[in-house]
Amino acid sequence: MMAFFEVYDFLLLSLLFCLPPLLIAAARPDLRPLMRTAALLALPFALTERFFYPAYWSPTFLFDLIQTLGFGIEDLLFVAAFGAFAATAYPAFANRAFATDGAPRLRLAAGLIAAAIGLAVGLHAAGLSMYTATIVAEFAVLLALLARSRELAMPALLGGATVTAIYWILCLLYEALLPSIFDRVWHTEGLFDRAFAGIPLEELLYAFASGALATAMLPVVLRGRWARRG
């Protein structure tokens, strides 16, 4: 089995990132609807893989779909799982419930997603690496949300920190299963070229930005709020 994953390394990473949302879903059934929504909203980000491969990393894709579609099955699995996890890490670990006050703002959700992707692609076209551009774009959208809903600042900070910690643990597990994987597949020389306990710094910054953005975005687009449980 591990010989299979030594070849299809991105698939293993995607499966590992399914663990947190599955555990949260089992422990917190009330968060499952939010997780489904977050997973669906995250899917468009899979289409950006063409901007990361092979400059930032060069994993092996099932059926070599990166060459024909510009993204792979692994991308869809990863962004859906990570989106579901990033959106619910804060309420799961801070013992919060999601209370909805009205109909979802679907146009706003689409606009925020388009803005994040569009800004990242634009910054990349202007000369930034796609990974740096993505992190900057996520923080830009996050700041716009917090300017509108300042009460989400602390949840976003805690959500980002929680996601980063678990992201780091999953990456350590990934490295343990596939030794030297980050040295072999990741290409961070043109970025920060720094690591924290062997995990590229860019990955942890991405985790924080994504966790903070998801924590703040869902209450805004779904007309909800984080409320104390029980």
Side-chain angles (χ1 to χ4, degrees):
M1 179 62 72
M2 286 311 301
F4 174 82
F5 286 125
E6 285 176 0
V7 176
Y8 296 105
D9 38 28
F10 190 8
L11 179 60
L12 177 60
L13 181 67
S14 299
L15 292 174
L16 287 175
F17 271 83
C18 288
L19 295 177
L22 289 174
L23 292 173
I24 292 173
R28 291 285 305 274
D30 60 300
L31 293 176
R32 292 174 188 173
L34 187 64
M35 297 176 75
R36 288 193 292 267
T37 300
L40 288 173
L41 291 177
L43 287 178
F45 291 95
L47 304 180
T48 65
E49 179 63 66
R50 67 185 71 239
F51 298 105
F52 294 93
Y53 179 93
Y56 178 68
W57 72 333
S58 51
T60 302
F61 290 78
L62 287 169
F63 312 114
D64 202 23
L65 290 180
I66 187 65
Q67 302 299 334
T68 54
L69 298 180
F71 64 95
I73 296 170
E74 299 90 342
D75 288 298
L76 297 172
L77 181 60
F78 178 86
V79 298
F82 186 47
F85 163 51
T88 54
Y90 168 72
F93 286 87
N95 196 32
R96 294 294 189 271
F98 187 72
T100 303
D101 299 324
R105 300 180 174 102
L106 297 180
R107 290 184 180 179
L108 177 59
L112 290 172
I113 293 170
I117 294 176
L119 180 57
V121 172
L123 291 172
H124 178 58
L128 285 181
S129 72
M130 188 59 184
Y131 218 89
T132 302
T134 297
I135 294 170
V136 171
E138 288 190 326
F139 276 123
V141 175
L142 173 63
L143 290 176
L145 289 171
L146 296 183
R148 171 177 180 160
S149 304
R150 295 183 180 180
E151 74 279 3
L152 292 172
M154 185 55 67
L157 176 63
L158 294 175
T162 303
V163 169
T164 303
I166 297 175
Y167 195 106
W168 177 62
I169 292 171
L170 290 174
C171 286
L172 290 177
L173 177 58
Y174 186 52
E175 172 74 15
L177 292 172
L178 299 179
S180 303
I181 187 66
F182 289 102
D183 291 331
R184 291 185 283 109
V185 174
W186 270 252
H187 315 297
T188 61
E189 299 84 1
L191 304 178
F192 297 110
D193 200 21
R194 294 290 185 273
F196 180 73
I199 310 306
L201 181 59
E202 293 85 2
E203 292 292 333
L204 301 180
L205 289 173
Y206 168 71
F208 181 82
S210 299
L213 178 58
T215 304
M217 180 175 169
L218 268 295
V220 173
V221 302
L222 297 181
R223 297 182 190 269
R225 66 187 187 280
W226 300 118
R228 291 186 180 275
R229 291 183 72 206

